Amino acid sequence: MNIKITVPSNLSEITLEQYQRYLKVIEDVEQNDKAQMFVDLKMMEIFCGVPYTTAMKFPMSEVSRINRIIGSVLNNKSELVRTFQMGDSKFGFIPKLDEMTFGEYIDLDNFFGDWNNMHKAMSVLYRPIDKTYKDTLYSIKEYDGDTFHNAMKQMPLDAVFSSIVFFYTLGSELSKIMLNSLQDLEETDTTLKQDLIKNGDGILAFSTSLKEMLNELSILQN
């Protein structure tokens, strides 16, 4: 059998929707040898576009080789992807996180830890660029709820992974700053100190949630 297939060589060649489908397959199968064979064939179907029935006709050695390549790609790490092209539009990472609206924060908080809804979280973080200034400066369109939910399923996976790592790192740094600030406040207003502790707990919880996601990514990718 002589079939030419395209195996992704970079996370940017894999879409968020493909990864969501892959996670769904893993979630739905029992952990045994037969299940692993099923997952291997589904990986070829999802990431290489090879129908399952066709993938079954491939030599086992070839299936293993292809899946090792895909596994290696899924283990790639990258710096925060700030912009990417999708269709006719260029999307940009939200330029100023400290100016995030309450509505944006609520949606991000609701969807960010759930892979089934990760495309909804990404529609908060990445939006079409409406103006480009000198160098790498740009502005993005105003957040409009579910306008780009479905579209974001087709975004590149490197942008998704890098934003998770970015927020985990950001959460860790904010936690350190918050703890240092509390240690420096030997004498301060009780209400203010309680507010700082409460905010710190929230940041720590968010950071812990992201760390769990990163650990899950490592397990699934190996």
Side-chain angles (χ1 to χ4, degrees):
M1 183 174 59
N2 188 13
I3 299 177
K4 185 177 181 179
I5 67 173
T6 301
V7 182
S9 59
N10 191 287
L11 283 174
S12 63
E13 299 172 8
I14 297 175
T15 67
L16 171 56
E17 183 178 37
Q18 286 176 309
Y19 192 68
Q20 288 174 316
R21 288 173 57 198
Y22 167 60
L23 294 181
K24 184 64 176 174
V25 168
I26 294 177
E27 179 185 332
D28 290 344
V29 299
E30 297 180 3
Q31 296 302 314
N32 54 52
D33 292 341
K34 289 185 178 179
Q36 185 57 54
M37 293 173 62
F38 173 76
V39 171
D40 288 346
L41 295 174
K42 292 298 288 185
M43 284 180 71
M44 290 186 60
E45 180 179 73
I46 293 169
F47 297 116
C48 304
V50 179
Y52 184 87
T53 53
T54 302
M56 289 184 65
K57 299 176 183 178
F58 276 61
M60 288 184 62
S61 58
E62 185 67 5
V63 174
S64 297
R65 185 186 70 83
I66 291 172
N67 283 336
R68 281 197 301 271
I69 295 174
I70 297 172
S72 177
V73 170
L74 291 176
N75 271 305
N76 287 342
K77 302 293 188 297
S78 64
E79 297 294 325
L80 178 64
V81 176
R82 294 196 173 275
T83 64
F84 60 83
Q85 190 75 28
M86 191 165 64
D88 295 329
S89 299
K90 190 172 185 178
F91 285 72
F93 186 80
I94 185 169
K96 296 181 179 180
L97 287 171
D98 58 341
E99 295 182 6
M100 185 181 294
T101 68
F102 185 74
E104 291 170 348
Y105 174 78
I106 291 298
D107 281 356
L108 184 62
D109 187 53
N110 284 338
F111 300 132
F112 200 74
D114 179 6
W115 275 106
N116 292 324
N117 288 307
M118 188 61 77
H119 54 289
K120 298 178 182 179
M122 291 298 116
S123 72
V124 178
L125 296 178
Y126 290 95
R127 276 170 264 156
I129 295 175
D130 56 7
K131 291 182 181 179
T132 302
Y133 306 99
K134 62 180 181 178
D135 299 326
T136 59
L137 299 178
Y138 57 83
S139 62
I140 57 178
K141 289 186 177 181
E142 185 176 338
Y143 182 59
D144 192 19
D146 62 359
T147 301
F148 294 102
H149 279 183
N150 287 329
M152 298 310 282
K153 291 182 178 181
Q154 302 307 312
M155 71 179 288
L157 195 59
D158 60 340
V160 181
F161 280 6
S162 69
S163 66
I164 293 174
V165 174
F166 172 80
F167 271 99
Y168 171 62
T169 304
L170 177 64
S172 297
E173 290 303 315
L174 288 175
S175 297
K176 293 177 184 177
I177 293 171
M178 185 66 68
L179 291 173
N180 289 336
S181 297
L182 287 172
Q183 290 173 356
D184 292 339
L185 290 174
E186 295 180 0
E187 294 182 3
T188 189
D189 180 78
T190 303
T191 302
L192 173 60
K193 193 166 184 178
Q194 288 176 343
D195 287 342
L196 286 171
I197 293 173
K198 182 178 180 181
N199 290 336
D201 287 343
I203 293 170
L204 286 169
F206 187 51
S207 177
T208 300
S209 176
L210 289 173
K211 185 175 182 180
E212 290 173 354
M213 289 182 67
L214 289 173
N215 289 338
E216 183 179 349
L217 278 177
S218 298
I219 293 172
L220 291 170
Q221 291 166 1
N222 290 318

